[in-house]
Amino acid sequence: MQNKLQLPAVMVIFGGTGDLTHRKLMPSLYNLFYQGLLPDNFAVVSVGRRDLTDEEYRNQVKESIEKFARFKLDEELWNKMKEVIYYVRFNFDDDDGYVHLKEILSDLDNKYNTAGNRLYYLAVSPEYFEVIVDKLDVHKMDLEENCVRRIVIEKPFGRDLASAAYLNEQITRVFKEENTYRIDHYLGKEMIQNIMVMRFANSVFEHLWNNRYIDNIQISSTETVGVENRGGYYENAGALKDMVQNHMFQLLTLTAMEPPVNLETESIRDEKVKVLRSLQPVTEKFVRENMVRGQYGRGEIGIHNIKGYREEDRVSPESDIETFVAMKLYIENYRWAGVPFYIRSGKRMANKTTEIVVQFKSLPKILYAKDMDLQPSLLVIKVQPKEGIMFQFNAKKPGTGNQIVPIQMDFCQNCSMENDSPEAYERLISDLIKGDSTLFTRWDEVEFSWKYVDDVTRIWRNEKTQFPNYAAGSWGPEAAHELLRRDGRQWWLV
Ligand SMILES: NC(=O)c1ccc[n+]([C@@H]2O[C@H](COP(=O)([O-])OP(=O)(O)OC[C@H]3O[C@@H](n4cnc5c(N)ncnc54)[C@H](OP(=O)(O)O)[C@@H]3O)[C@@H](O)[C@H]2O)c1
């Protein structure tokens, strides 16, 4: 049972007419409101360029909630909620707009007793992060004695280490690190939060969580969709920057971190950063031997013929951007020395899934394993679309023989009860209101992951690629399978 959030505040959404606001933020706010969790003194002001009245904007939000919220729209509740949603139109670089916004916010403070507290949410493309932060500073909307002023920055946080560092400097010049909330929405997902609970609340797992008992760990995030309408953005990113730098490294750090000294935000973040700092250094040889990149060509998914990446909208016909990446990493510490972490992420793959597979070491070739090839025990943490945990182990096949077969204990968290799992953004917004930044990334996490990704990119830039090298609807390039095969392993599809 959750308690109502307490901070009186106005949430200002820059980019209030955009896709993210309509598909995620407003539906999540409604879900929180529906559960009675939003603070009593709370209002939302959306900023965009479109010419809309409050009423027109509210109607658009209502449609989005009907489409995307996990709870059915309740007219009575909506009529209450819509009263605290406002729309302001101005261009992000227009000073008069901020003057006007400031007046509105001050009126809302009086109307709703929101005490001058502000949650600035930058649901805008990265080119506007700096200008908005700068204007908030110029118009003295960043600091106010005894008031809470927090800022949320959407992904991507930079294009590389240099741009991320520059952006960080601009933000932290105005907002303190503890008031800066860098979103990685994977961290809001239920099963991601469950990784720590599973590890540190179950003796059966934590005692085995090391190189004595674990053979390898596989972290996969595959999608069946292509770049959709994001070709322009993707051409400057690719799978390594779009997925590995943020989401995949977050999964890696939570899986591999040492137990924190306590459950406080900074203690957890300290341990996550140590994992990134312990990664085997990137060299040309290392990249050549342990990293595979791919780009999808034409193929089939179900009954649909799919075009290749180079034929997508706003993508160069000669593009050498990767839509798939696979890698083998080592974490150089006592817990993980010698255990490979295989990571892969790709678009237009055969299946959509995000999961972590922990493969335990096989038993010596004696007793049952003497004459039979026994399957290894696997622990699978399913992040999406199914959320749950599966444990695979060996048991006797019922009957008179001595056949041993792998069986699976499968716990699916979101299968039985519809609407049971909160949206990632629901959790993240609620933590933002609480002032808990554990599920947001600290600057040094961003810094170390960009450094790693930059080192790989620099090496890749100098090496010719043979793209496309996997068919849409497949499991990625042959080299990604070879990466494990030569170690006597395979990617698990469970
Ligand atoms: N969409 C998603 O599901 C998603 C998921 C994860 C991360 N993100 C990140 O979230 C951010 C926003 O993405 P999005 O998909 O919502 O983008 P979007 O649909 O293009 O929306 C952009 C928003 O910014 C406003 N805007 C743009 N330029 C402006 C200007 N000069 N002055 C005032 N308003 C301006 C637009 O207003 P008008 O439309 O009124 O012009 C619109 O509200 C991006 O950083 C993206 O990478 C998005």
Side-chain angles (χ1 to χ4, degrees), residues 11-15 20-21 25 119-124 150-154 183 425 428-429 432 440:
M11 181 165 168
V12 182
I13 305 179
F14 291 93
L20 180 71
T21 303
L25 303 186
L119 308 169
Y120 298 115
Y121 200 117
L122 272 50
V124 300
R150 298 183 183 130
I151 188 158
V152 185
I153 309 286
E154 259 298 336
I183 287 255
Y425 279 92
L428 296 173
I429 292 173
L432 167 71
F440 296 78

Side-chain angles (χ1 to χ4, degrees), residues 15-20 23 48-50 90-92 123-126 128-129 154-156 425:
T17 50
D19 182 64
L20 180 71
R23 278 199 313 123
R49 277 179 305 198
R50 291 172 215 188
F90 67 89
N91 204 305
F92 294 146
V124 300
S125 70
Y128 293 115
F129 291 161
E154 259 298 336
K155 116 174 202 196
Y425 279 92

Side-chain angles (χ1 to χ4, degrees), residues 261-375:
V261 290
N262 55 37
L263 292 175
E264 282 166 21
T265 304
E266 298 314 322
S267 309
I268 295 171
R269 288 163 152 191
D270 286 347
E271 296 307 330
K272 287 168 67 195
V273 170
K274 281 187 207 160
V275 173
L276 296 172
R277 294 176 62 186
S278 309
L279 285 174
Q280 183 181 0
V282 176
T283 61
E284 274 180 42
K285 182 169 180 293
F286 174 79
V287 169
R288 208 167 303 125
E289 290 174 357
N290 297 296
M291 303 216 170
V292 174
R293 52 187 158 154
Q295 186 192 79
Y296 62 85
R298 291 181 184 179
E300 286 170 20
I301 298 185
I303 54 165
H304 302 287
N305 287 326
I306 306 292
K307 57 185 171 186
Y309 175 70
R310 290 177 175 181
E311 299 164 275
E312 300 273 12
D313 201 21
R314 281 179 286 165
V315 168
S316 156
E318 277 127 43
S319 173
D320 63 358
I321 283 296
E322 80 287 351
T323 59
F324 174 96
V325 64
M327 52 179 71
K328 177 168 81 169
L329 308 177
Y330 284 101
I331 297 167
E332 296 181 327
N333 63 21
Y334 281 137
R335 183 185 288 266
W336 294 118
V339 178
F341 284 75
Y342 298 102
I343 291 180
R344 72 175 161 174
S345 176
K347 290 195 172 294
R348 286 292 190 214
M349 305 278 287
N351 206 348
K352 173 184 165 68
T353 183
T354 301
E355 64 183 26
I356 300 165
V357 181
V358 179
Q359 176 179 338
F360 291 91
K361 285 194 169 160
S362 296
L363 290 166
K365 287 267 176 202
I366 50 175
L367 300 180
Y368 294 112
K370 191 171 176 183
D371 303 318
M372 281 183 260
D373 276 334
L374 298 183
Q375 290 289 310

Side-chain angles (χ1 to χ4, degrees), residues 37-255:
L37 297 177
L38 275 191
D40 287 332
N41 305 84
F42 197 77
V44 180
V45 177
S46 281
V47 181
R49 277 179 305 198
R50 291 172 215 188
D51 192 6
L52 298 168
T53 63
D54 282 341
E55 217 40 51
E56 285 166 339
Y57 181 69
R58 290 168 181 171
N59 287 337
Q60 290 183 359
V61 170
K62 183 182 180 192
E63 277 176 31
S64 304
I65 290 172
E66 280 173 323
K67 250 201 240 159
F68 300 115
R70 71 185 169 110
F71 297 111
K72 203 172 163 354
L73 189 117
D74 176 309
E75 287 291 343
E76 206 178 310
L77 275 183
W78 166 246
N79 285 336
K80 279 191 199 150
M81 180 173 161
K82 75 172 187 186
E83 292 302 317
V84 300
I85 298 177
Y86 296 84
Y87 179 73
V88 186
R89 179 190 181 208
F90 67 89
N91 204 305
F92 294 146
D93 55 15
D94 171 16
D95 282 291
D96 292 342
Y98 292 84
V99 173
H100 180 48
L101 175 64
K102 210 173 161 180
E103 284 165 8
I104 291 176
L105 292 175
S106 166
D107 288 347
L108 293 181
D109 278 339
N110 293 332
K111 190 165 177 186
Y112 297 108
N113 285 327
T114 37
N117 297 329
R118 311 275 180 260
L119 308 169
Y120 298 115
Y121 200 117
L122 272 50
V124 300
S125 70
E127 71 202 88
Y128 293 115
F129 291 161
E130 188 184 346
V131 65
I132 296 172
V133 170
D134 188 52
K135 296 289 180 198
L136 291 175
D137 179 30
V138 169
H139 293 277
K140 306 213 175 329
M141 297 167 78
D142 52 332
L143 287 175
E144 184 84 43
E145 219 169 308
N146 300 324
C147 293
V148 171
R149 300 279 157 108
R150 298 183 183 130
I151 188 158
V152 185
I153 309 286
E154 259 298 336
K155 116 174 202 196
F157 199 90
R159 300 175 308 280
D160 50 24
L161 179 58
S163 59
Y166 174 78
L167 172 61
N168 196 53
E169 221 177 278
Q170 302 312 308
I171 295 169
T172 48
R173 193 175 50 78
V174 181
F175 291 89
K176 289 189 185 146
E177 171 68 33
E178 70 254 32
N179 293 327
T180 304
Y181 289 68
R182 299 175 195 83
I183 287 255
D184 184 328
H185 67 270
Y186 265 49
L187 290 177
K189 291 182 189 290
E190 275 292 308
M191 286 310 297
I192 303 287
Q193 296 156 46
N194 222 343
I195 297 173
M196 273 183 56
V197 176
M198 283 203 28
R199 287 191 52 193
F200 304 133
N202 291 294
S203 59
V204 66
F205 298 127
E206 187 49 23
H207 292 324
L208 304 180
W209 216 255
N210 57 54
N211 55 8
R212 279 186 70 195
Y213 302 105
I214 291 178
D215 179 82
N216 74 88
I217 295 185
Q218 302 180 10
I219 305 177
S220 296
S221 183
T222 58
E223 302 175 278
T224 50
V225 294
V227 285
E228 297 178 303
N229 54 2
R230 295 165 70 225
Y233 156 74
Y234 207 80
E235 278 286 271
N236 293 307
L240 185 68
K241 293 183 178 185
D242 189 46
M243 289 298 293
V244 177
Q245 181 270 332
N246 36 60
H247 310 317
M248 304 306 280
F249 274 1
Q250 286 297 327
L251 297 186
L252 174 72
T253 54
L254 286 165
T255 308

